[in-house]
Amino acid sequence: MTILDGKALAAKIKEETAKTTAALAAEGKRQPCLAVILVGEDPASQIYVRNKHNDCVTTGIKSLMHTLPKDITEDELLSLIDKLNADDTVDGILVQLPLPKHLNEEKVTERISVNKDVDAFSAANVGLITLGKAGFKPCTPAGIMRLLEEYGIDIKGKECVVVGRSNIVGKPMALLLLAAGGTVTVCHTKTADLSFHTKRADILIAAAGKADLIRGDMIKEGAVIVDVGMNRKDGKLCGDVNFEECVPKASYITPVPGGVGPMTRAMLLENTLTAYKFSK
Ligand code: GUN
């Protein structure tokens, strides 16, 4: 059994990013720049945004933080996005979700220019992914693909089962696995017999947001297990997979923390560099 070490690979990707930005600086070029907008004071979002800011700072990407009060109007938020869209020195724009209820998330994320949409949440970017065309790839699924590639895990012809159908993870994950030649099944809360599907998986992606959803008797001997979950159980961070039960059967498995999470953050840096290239 091998641990899929997302933390180590993310560190390597960050080093490469830092080299790229240092080379740009040496050529006297403009620094890549990511604008992050946080509305309100959700504690988890504050931590995520702080981590993204620190990642930028340590890799030579300029981080523009916009912290807005929770009662900001939709028009005010949309005009900030318009201003950042028009600013040639801003490459990527990210609005941290969830937004307070009075703000329409779809309207807000759709306002971000397609070439600056480093989360790849817009309909245009989702369409490009669906067609297998270049563009931004959403950070979590892209990070998982990179992790599988790093460990030489072939996807072609494999039974891939994704548990979860969110727009951020489940759906785009299924599309990327399909593009890589996997035979993909997407399971969700309405799936009648979850373990019937998970037991068939050569590659299982658990992204349902439910602690301990995947038990040892639900997986196949030798399966590759990727855990996207970030749940709290008795105050402790845990994934969707019961790690202790699945380790003896898995060929590869991601830990929580230290698996998918760091890869998501690393892909945001790569997407910001891609956005920088678009701006040329
Ligand atoms: N909230 C939770 N995950 C994410 C993410 O990947 N991007 C944004 N913008 N908000 C999030």
Side-chain angles (χ1 to χ4, degrees), residues 27-138:
E27 291 171 32
K29 299 249 173 74
R30 177 177 71 73
Q31 205 181 0
C33 171
L34 174 67
V36 175
I37 302 173
L38 172 64
V39 183
E41 286 156 16
D42 176 71
S45 291
Q46 284 176 327
I47 295 170
Y48 290 143
V49 162
R50 193 187 323 133
N51 286 339
K52 288 169 188 178
H53 170 78
N54 291 340
D55 286 343
C56 286
V57 172
T58 55
T59 55
I61 291 173
K62 185 175 169 191
S63 165
L64 272 186
M65 281 294 310
H66 289 270
T67 310
L68 306 174
K70 65 174 183 305
D71 57 357
I72 190 166
T73 66
E74 197 165 270
D75 280 346
E76 284 172 305
L77 179 56
L78 293 174
S79 40
L80 171 61
I81 294 173
D82 288 344
K83 200 174 103 207
L84 296 168
N85 279 339
D87 186 339
D88 289 341
T89 66
V90 172
D91 300 294
I93 304 170
L94 180 151
V95 178
Q96 186 67 28
L97 302 180
L99 287 172
K101 294 250 175 319
H102 68 286
L103 301 170
N104 181 332
E105 283 187 358
E106 191 186 333
K107 195 166 168 192
V108 169
T109 50
E110 283 296 331
R111 191 72 160 233
I112 298 169
S113 141
V114 175
N115 285 344
K116 299 191 180 194
D117 175 28
V118 285
D119 266 326
F121 287 172
S122 67
N125 272 316
V126 175
L128 287 172
I129 297 157
T130 308
L131 296 172
K133 298 229 168 111
F136 297 113
K137 295 204 168 70

